[in-house]
Amino acid sequence: MKKPNPKSALHEKEGIPQPEILSTAVAGNIQQFRKVQPSSKDLVDGILAGNITALSRAITLVESTNSSHLAKANEVINACLPYANKSVRIGITGVPGVGKSTFIEAFGKYLTGLGKRVAVLAVDPSSTISHGSILGDKTRMEELVKDENAYIRPSASGETLGGVARKTRETITLCEAAGFDTIIIETVGVGQSETAVHSMVDFFLLLKISGAGDELQGIKRGIMEMADAIVINKADGDNIKRAKLAKTEFTRALHLFPAKKSGWIPTVSTCSAYTKEGIDEVWKTISDYLELTQSNHYFDERRSEQNHYWMLETINEQLKNSFFNHPEIAILLEENKKAVQNNELSPFAAARILLEKYFKV
């Protein structure tokens, strides 16, 4: 066998030995601390005191799919509920590459500069193959993550549709109880499937870019109808002229849509998250919207409608989980699955059999 050439680029060099742990006692204490599960009261007390560690652990508990965590998570949420609903909830969406993370960092830094406490709930898309998610938003918002008045929580979208994570709604409640007065929800950017995030925010912001054929989306309904404001991002350098042209096109497109129940007329503006130009105008637009909707009582009316919507959504989720986690149904599901795949049974007949069995057990 030919020996490897030590001068070759493919030659593997010996690794550098790792230094010994400086203090095994300290390392042991840290590991032991992480194993300790705080009680519901401890988590709630920590959240109300503004403890970020308690908030993060509570969110992890709420996001858990372990059925044994459900009761404890509900205790924490119910205890935090009286201290919630005192924030402004802003949903931000846009196609991948529009610069959502860069915009949110610039916008978040602007808000903390005004004395606001900002929580960013960033939702990353999950792979349909590996079911994994990168969760890299903290890395991309390197300035905001160091701000003591900001909190960034990335979550995987999982199998949830609509650009949000499975427990985003409950996470909002916990962040509000922790004293964050501005909640920003960054969606995965899934085009027109944004009804979920729209149903949990007060203001819905749609980010667009110019010069990429994105102007054609202006004539489509769906996400455009839900937007309370459209912001043309990356309006800097050679792109300023194109951004202004896109602003004109989107402004014209908005006139094709019916008037909003809130009485608000959606606006279109340009900004550059890179140079920070136009960020202050975005906040002024949101402030004007809040002033209008709070004065005509649409703000409270919409939140009441959202609560009703999420009650029904929770019922749907609990029924779905109960159905698929039932041991007898799981066995029957596999049997019917094979029959459907072999064309021995229609999908509709199989579904009826399963549901009839579920409601009898």
Side-chain angles (χ1 to χ4, degrees), residues 26-253:
V26 171
N29 289 337
I30 293 174
Q31 291 175 346
Q32 188 62 32
F33 173 77
R34 289 176 177 174
K35 290 179 181 178
V36 175
Q37 294 298 322
S39 65
S40 301
K41 185 179 184 305
D42 291 337
L43 288 175
V44 173
D45 289 344
I47 290 171
L48 299 181
N51 186 300
I52 297 301
T53 301
L55 174 61
S56 297
R57 297 189 78 164
I59 293 174
T60 300
L61 181 70
V62 167
E63 290 180 339
S64 173
T65 55
N66 190 327
S67 57
S68 64
H69 294 162
L70 181 61
K72 187 175 180 181
N74 287 334
E75 287 180 12
V76 174
I77 294 170
N78 290 334
C80 288
L81 202 55
Y83 305 93
N85 298 304
K86 298 175 183 177
S87 75
V88 176
R89 304 165 184 171
I90 304 169
I92 298 180
T93 190
V95 296
V98 77
K100 292 189 294 294
S101 295
T102 306
F103 173 82
I104 289 173
E105 177 169 54
F107 187 51
K109 288 294 291 182
Y110 175 79
L111 293 178
T112 57
L114 296 178
K116 305 286 185 183
R117 296 195 69 214
V118 180
V120 178
L121 307 181
V123 184
D124 271 10
S126 297
S127 168
T128 56
I129 300 174
S130 66
H131 305 291
S133 188
I134 297 175
L135 303 179
D137 294 274
K138 281 192 174 184
T139 304
R140 288 180 288 182
M141 302 179 196
E142 57 183 12
E143 291 299 322
L144 188 61
V145 75
K146 294 183 288 187
D147 195 315
E148 60 181 12
N149 289 317
Y151 172 70
I152 302 174
R153 173 73 184 201
S155 299
S157 62
E159 298 178 356
T160 307
L161 298 178
V164 294
R166 189 175 61 91
K167 294 294 184 179
T168 300
R169 171 74 181 189
E170 291 91 329
T171 301
I172 292 173
T173 299
L174 299 181
C175 289
E176 288 176 340
F180 291 98
D181 52 38
T182 308
I183 312 294
I184 298 175
I185 303 174
E186 178 196 0
T187 77
V188 298
V190 290
Q192 297 183 5
S193 180
E194 301 293 74
T195 53
V197 68
H198 183 254
S199 65
M200 65 175 69
V201 298
D202 306 312
F203 189 90
F204 194 55
L205 177 65
L206 174 61
L207 281 183
K208 290 282 189 178
I209 51 176
S210 61
D214 211 27
E215 294 88 341
L216 295 175
Q217 300 297 325
I219 62 174
K220 293 184 178 180
R221 293 184 179 273
I223 193 170
M224 287 285 294
E225 286 184 303
M226 292 188 288
D228 296 306
I230 297 174
V231 176
I232 316 297
N233 193 22
K234 301 185 179 181
D236 46 49
D238 297 335
N239 208 35
I240 294 178
K241 185 176 180 180
R242 287 192 293 267
K244 290 181 178 179
L245 180 61
K247 176 183 175 181
T248 302
E249 294 294 328
F250 283 121
T251 301
R252 289 174 181 169

Side-chain angles (χ1 to χ4, degrees), residues 227-338:
D228 296 306
I230 297 174
V231 176
I232 316 297
N233 193 22
K234 301 185 179 181
D236 46 49
D238 297 335
N239 208 35
I240 294 178
K241 185 176 180 180
R242 287 192 293 267
K244 290 181 178 179
L245 180 61
K247 176 183 175 181
T248 302
E249 294 294 328
F250 283 121
T251 301
R252 289 174 181 169
L254 287 175
H255 291 300
L256 300 173
F257 302 140
K260 286 183 174 287
K261 186 180 177 182
S262 62
W264 171 257
I265 300 175
T267 64
V268 184
S269 63
T270 62
C271 84
S272 170
Y274 179 71
T275 65
K276 312 298 188 296
E277 291 288 332
I279 298 296
D280 55 343
E281 185 180 344
V282 174
W283 177 242
K284 184 180 183 306
T285 298
I286 296 174
S287 299
D288 291 343
Y289 171 86
L290 293 173
E291 183 179 351
L292 172 67
T293 54
Q294 287 173 349
S295 64
N296 64 16
H297 306 295
Y298 176 78
F299 184 92
D300 294 327
E301 180 184 335
R302 175 153 176 74
R303 286 217 170 172
S304 296
E305 291 176 353
Q306 289 177 345
N307 289 338
H308 176 250
Y309 172 84
W310 284 100
M311 178 189 73
L312 298 179
E313 284 297 302
T314 303
I315 292 173
N316 290 335
E317 181 186 347
Q318 294 296 329
L319 284 173
K320 181 180 177 181
N321 290 340
S322 176
F323 177 85
F324 285 106
N325 290 326
H326 195 286
E328 292 185 34
I329 295 299
I331 297 172
L332 188 60
L333 180 62
E334 285 301 315
E335 295 175 358
N336 281 268
K337 178 181 176 182
K338 292 178 181 178

